[in-house]
């Protein structure tokens, strides 16, 4: 262990009555929920970038954090890794994830970047073997460097497209070597600032071409992980092509990738798109593209992507309700793509924020499982659509036309009676569990 976290011990489950700030009250990794341990349902992951690479700046002020590993040298990158894996040991979450830029020093060209990434990948291999922490996903940062200011795969300059392709290749190689369970593409600047200078059709076609190359390369190297795209409607671009679940699904279908690529859904991005998180999860489930989640909320007033740790049990419970209802995660998990507020300077803030988030998610998961086991929402849903299950309806609807239904309405003098949607009663029901 390094000295960064002082004498903070591994966080333990102490039960709901514990008043210990650094203890789990709900996250009991071995507790069996709907037939499997909580740990395997939630599959928690820590995002390297927010906790170890982000310096606390905002548009009005520079860094607020003062970490001993800040700087662009290999020795500092390794110190950062040492502290990161210390935190993973303290939290005991099974996974982490990273962008290339979070973990390696920035080189002066592609060859140096790749060489640096390979050195850190080897270092991670040792750390992962020592701690048992696994890689949920790897990804490439193709939005911070100024070469990407007009996009990566959607850049008007084919040289940037090629540089981005080479960068993704190196990040997929690193992810594969570390047995990553997914590979994520968030379209950081895949969008536009103004349509006045944007060839929309060309950019979308290039994005489709790029993603097809990613899928081809995955098969070529035998990477068994799932390729995931992460929707977000805007920020940093004014408009981003991966706007939301519905847009991404349409895009995947257009380029014939709907059976190869799934989605990584982030609560904050759902909010920016004007949706609830459960809307995005339920829609992805229904379209067969739910992959993984980034469980970090936005401030509802600011309208920015504030990447805050989750702290709202009812919201989290409904998210897990839809995840469990669809059978739970396979390769995906619960990644905290969340950062401290820039005034939360202390090392203990990093631990408390993650531990609290894990506890909130465990509470939400337990509530979701209890609702599913009780079956109240399911039976209300079955009642509401019961008409579609009757033998008579099936006969009438089989091969129905406007004329056949008109005849049926006339012959049977069909005169439907409106029925209550019971929304308040269902909301009251949910409140019994959360
Ligand atoms: C940005 C965001 C990213 C992706 C990975 O809003 O969510 O951190 O999760 O690139
Ligand atoms: Co994210």
């Amino acid at each position: 262990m390094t000295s960064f976290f002082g004498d903070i011990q591994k966080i333990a489950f102490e039960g709901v009555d514990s008043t210990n700030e650094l203890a789990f009250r709900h996250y009991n990794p071995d507790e069996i929920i709907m037939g499997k341990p909580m740990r395997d349902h939630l599959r928690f992951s820590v995002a390297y970038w927010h906790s170890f690479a982000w310096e606390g700046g905002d548009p009005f002020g520079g860094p607020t954090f003062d970490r001993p590993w800040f700087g662009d040298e290999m020795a500092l990158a390794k110190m950062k890794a040492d502290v990161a894996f210390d935190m993973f040991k303290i939290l005991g979450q099974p996974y982490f994830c990273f962008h290339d830029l979070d973990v390696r020093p920035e080189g002066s060209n592609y060859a140096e970047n790749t060489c640096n990434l390979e050195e850190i990948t080897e270092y991670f291999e040792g750390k992962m073997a020592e701690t048992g922490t696994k890689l949920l996903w790897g990804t490439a940062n193709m939005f911070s460097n100024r070469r990407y200011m007009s996009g990566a795969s959607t850049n008007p300059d084919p040289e940037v497209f090629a540089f981005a392709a080479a960068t993704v290749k190196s990040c997929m190689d690193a992810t594969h070597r570390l047995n990553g369970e997914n590979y994520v593409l968030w379209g950081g600047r895949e969008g536009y600032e103004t349509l006045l200078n944007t060839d929309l059709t060309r950019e979308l076609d290039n994005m489709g071409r790029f993603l097809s190359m990613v899928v081809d390369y995955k098969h070529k190297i035998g990477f068994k992980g799932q390729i995931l795209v992460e929707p977000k409607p805007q920020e940093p671009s004014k408009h981003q092509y991966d706007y939301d679940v519905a847009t991404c699904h349409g895009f995947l279908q257009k380029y014939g990738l709907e059976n190869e690529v799934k989605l990584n859904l982030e609560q904050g991005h759902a909010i920016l798109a004007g949706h609830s998180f459960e809307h995005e999860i339920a829609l992805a489930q229904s379209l067969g593209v739910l992959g993984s989640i980034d469980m970090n909320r936005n401030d509802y007033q600011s309208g920015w992507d504030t990447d805050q740790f989750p702290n709202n049990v009812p919201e989290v419970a409904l998210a897990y309700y839809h995840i469990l209802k669809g059978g739970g995660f396979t390769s995906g998990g619960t990644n905290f793509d969340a950062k401290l507020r820039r005034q939360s300077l202390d090392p203990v803030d990093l631990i408390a924020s993650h531990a609290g988030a894990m506890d909130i998610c465990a509470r939400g998961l337990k509530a979701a499982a209890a609702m599913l086991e009780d079956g109240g929402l399911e039976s209300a849903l079955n009642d509401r659509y019961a008409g579609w299950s009757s033998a008579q309806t099936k006969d009438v609807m089989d091969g129905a036309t406007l004329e056949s239904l008109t005849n049926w309405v006339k012959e049977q003098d069909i005169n439907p009676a409106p029925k209550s949607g019971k929304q308040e009663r269902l909301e009251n029901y949910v409140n019994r569990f959360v």
Side-chain angles (χ1 to χ4, degrees):
M1 293 284 271
T2 66
S3 58
F4 184 73
F5 290 111
D7 58 2
I8 299 176
Q9 301 299 308
K10 186 170 172 22
I11 309 289
F13 171 71
E14 294 184 3
V16 284
D17 295 328
S18 171
T19 56
N20 176 357
E21 192 198 4
L22 296 182
F24 295 127
R25 274 165 278 281
H26 297 275
Y27 182 55
N28 181 8
D30 297 320
E31 185 177 329
I32 303 295
I33 303 281
M34 291 179 69
K36 70 178 181 191
M38 215 187 251
R39 174 197 294 109
D40 298 343
H41 277 291
L42 291 162
R43 295 166 60 84
F44 286 131
S45 162
V46 168
Y48 209 90
W49 49 101
H50 287 313
S51 293
F52 306 108
W54 183 60
E55 297 176 346
D58 74 5
F60 301 91
T64 57
F65 300 135
D66 180 19
R67 309 294 197 216
W69 58 84
F70 285 167
D72 224 12
E73 290 158 34
M74 186 55 78
L76 294 174
K78 289 185 180 167
M79 183 200 291
K80 175 162 58 174
D82 292 341
V83 173
F85 280 83
D86 283 353
M87 183 166 104
F88 304 161
K89 274 191 245 170
I90 292 171
L91 293 172
Q93 96 290 350
Y95 293 99
F96 76 115
C97 52
F98 66 87
H99 302 85
D100 52 353
L101 183 64
D102 315 328
V103 300
R104 56 134 175 84
E106 180 76 355
S108 62
N109 59 15
Y110 175 74
E112 265 181 43
N113 282 348
T114 308
C115 186
N116 289 346
L117 182 62
E118 280 167 3
E119 188 169 340
I120 281 292
T121 303
E122 191 177 329
Y123 197 66
F124 277 180
E125 257 182 337
K127 295 251 135 209
M128 289 166 73
E130 181 196 317
T131 58
T133 313
K134 295 174 285 183
L135 183 63
L136 186 64
W137 44 268
T139 188
N141 177 324
M142 300 196 295
F143 42 90
S144 294
N145 192 292
R146 69 195 284 270
R147 81 172 63 85
Y148 296 122
M149 68 183 181
S150 312
S153 71
T154 61
N155 199 291
D157 181 349
E159 289 191 358
V160 179
F161 182 96
F163 196 100
T167 299
V168 166
K169 178 185 172 302
S170 66
C171 292
M172 287 178 76
D173 288 342
T175 304
H176 186 36
R177 181 166 165 193
L178 298 174
N179 295 315
E181 300 190 20
N182 305 270
Y183 184 84
V184 165
L185 295 111
W186 166 59
R189 293 182 195 272
E190 310 294 28
Y192 60 78
E193 293 302 319
T194 172
L195 272 178
L196 295 175
N197 66 11
T198 303
D199 181 344
L200 195 75
T201 309
R202 185 191 297 273
E203 292 202 0
L204 285 168
D205 283 349
N206 276 344
M207 203 162 97
R209 183 202 300 218
F210 194 94
L211 196 52
S212 302
M213 294 186 329
V214 168
V215 168
D216 288 348
Y217 188 63
K218 159 190 158 147
H219 292 304
K220 180 152 186 230
I221 61 175
F223 174 58
K224 297 281 175 268
Q226 175 67 48
I227 304 292
L228 300 171
V229 161
E230 184 172 326
K232 186 174 183 183
Q234 73 269 332
E235 207 200 289
S237 302
K238 169 192 156 56
H239 174 91
Q240 296 196 192
Y241 296 131
D242 292 330
Y243 199 94
D244 60 1
V245 168
T247 313
C248 286
H249 183 254
F251 174 86
L252 294 177
Q253 275 190 320
K254 173 158 188 212
Y255 295 98
L257 295 167
E258 69 275 23
N259 297 322
E260 293 280 1
V261 177
K262 292 187 174 172
L263 303 181
N264 181 43
L265 305 180
E266 177 167 322
Q267 186 191 14
H269 298 178
I271 295 169
L272 282 179
H275 302 306
S276 66
F277 199 22
E278 69 262 26
H279 165 89
E280 289 291 79
I281 293 172
L283 185 59
Q285 288 279 27
S286 123
L287 296 169
V289 290
L290 179 67
S292 196
I293 61 169
D294 279 2
M295 182 56 105
N296 44 284
R297 71 193 163 94
N298 277 4
D299 182 291
Y300 282 107
Q301 280 87 49
S302 74
W304 298 333
D305 185 12
T306 54
D307 286 327
Q308 289 172 248
F309 288 90
N311 74 350
N312 182 317
V313 178
E315 281 181 359
V316 168
L318 287 176
Y320 284 118
Y321 181 81
H322 288 283
I323 289 167
L324 287 180
K325 194 175 146 182
F329 292 125
T330 51
S331 70
T334 303
N335 175 45
F336 298 117
D337 189 358
K339 59 176 179 266
L340 294 173
R341 298 307 86 196
R342 68 197 291 269
Q343 299 173 52
S344 302
L345 304 177
D346 301 336
V348 67
D349 291 324
L350 271 175
I351 303 295
S353 55
H354 283 92
M358 290 162 80
D359 237 15
I360 289 283
C361 290
R363 254 177 104 168
L365 178 84
K366 286 193 287 186
M371 283 192 283
L372 268 175
E373 277 168 343
D374 181 75
L377 290 178
E378 276 311 282
S379 73
L381 212 55
N382 290 339
D383 283 354
R384 191 156 188 242
Y385 293 89
W388 289 91
S389 308
S390 79
Q392 194 207 12
T393 307
K394 282 183 183 152
D395 271 0
V396 171
M397 293 297 168
D398 193 23
T401 63
L402 291 185
E403 292 103 314
S404 73
L405 292 183
T406 305
N407 288 339
W408 186 55
V409 168
K410 285 208 256 181
E411 278 161 20
Q412 302 295 318
D413 191 17
I414 299 285
N415 195 3
K419 291 181 189 135
S420 173
K422 303 181 181 169
Q423 180 169 337
E424 296 79 4
R425 292 167 65 191
L426 294 171
E427 287 167 351
N428 293 345
Y429 172 85
V430 171
N431 279 334
R432 279 174 35 207
F433 294 85
V434 291

